[in-house]
Amino acid sequence: HLLSTMGKWLGAQGYLILLTAVLVVIGLTVLKVDYPLLMAGVVAVVDALPILGSGLILVPWAVFAILTGDTELGIGLMILWGVVTIIRNLVEPRLVGHRIGLHPLVSLIAMYAGFQVMGVLGMILFPFGAILLIQLQNWGYIKFWKDAKAR
């Protein structure tokens, strides 16, 4: 079950990478940036790395654009970064939670607690730990809470 869940988690990450790429392609096309597909691919791959995110590329690029006199591009890139960050942060807990069988709030709490305790690795491991505990509860090996179906 855990291996199947890991596959589902990887699938959810793939969807998030694709979502980021699509958002960035649209944004860079609107901003009339050369090679929007290539740049969006790079930003999406970097965004998949926890902590780093799309800001690792978009923010320095925006600052450079502003410092070199292209204020419109710089502001546009900052807005794009904000939009990508907000949408990804809204979608990720729901998507990951749905794909791996966790309530979005449990998924979000597990990812946050995992990051606080173990950093990036914890963001990956803690949701799997939550799934393991839920499965052990469902299979009757542990009893953390009463089963609502048994009433």
Side-chain angles (χ1 to χ4, degrees):
H1 182 72
L2 199 55
L3 288 176
S4 169
T5 302
M6 288 176 70
K8 291 176 184 175
W9 178 82
L10 285 173
Q13 294 304 315
Y15 282 124
L16 290 169
I17 290 169
L18 183 62
L19 174 66
T20 300
V22 168
L23 291 171
V24 174
V25 164
I26 292 169
L28 294 180
T29 302
V30 169
L31 292 171
K32 298 180 177 110
V33 171
D34 292 335
Y35 310 108
L37 284 172
L38 176 64
M39 294 306 297
V42 171
V43 170
V45 168
V46 171
D47 191 50
L49 304 171
I51 308 305
L52 299 179
S54 59
L56 183 68
I57 294 176
L58 294 176
V59 172
W61 186 6
V63 170
F64 178 77
I66 291 170
L67 291 176
T68 57
D70 196 350
T71 308
E72 185 177 309
L73 176 62
I75 291 171
L77 289 170
M78 290 301 287
I79 291 170
L80 178 59
W81 172 63
V83 168
V84 168
T85 302
I86 289 168
I87 290 175
R88 183 174 169 96
N89 286 336
L90 289 174
V91 170
E92 184 171 15
R94 288 188 178 130
L95 180 63
V96 171
H98 175 72
R99 296 279 297 188
I100 64 176
L102 284 180
H103 187 279
L105 184 58
V106 174
S107 176
L108 182 63
I109 290 169
M111 289 185 337
Y112 178 76
F115 177 71
Q116 293 298 316
V117 173
M118 296 177 63
V120 174
L121 184 61
M123 287 180 70
I124 297 168
L125 294 179
F126 272 50
F128 289 113
I131 292 166
L132 181 62
L133 290 175
I134 290 169
Q135 287 302 318
L136 290 173
Q137 169 77 21
N138 290 341
W139 294 332
Y141 292 111
I142 58 174
K143 293 288 181 199
F144 283 125
W145 56 88
K146 289 184 179 181
D147 188 7
K149 296 174 190 171
R151 291 183 193 168

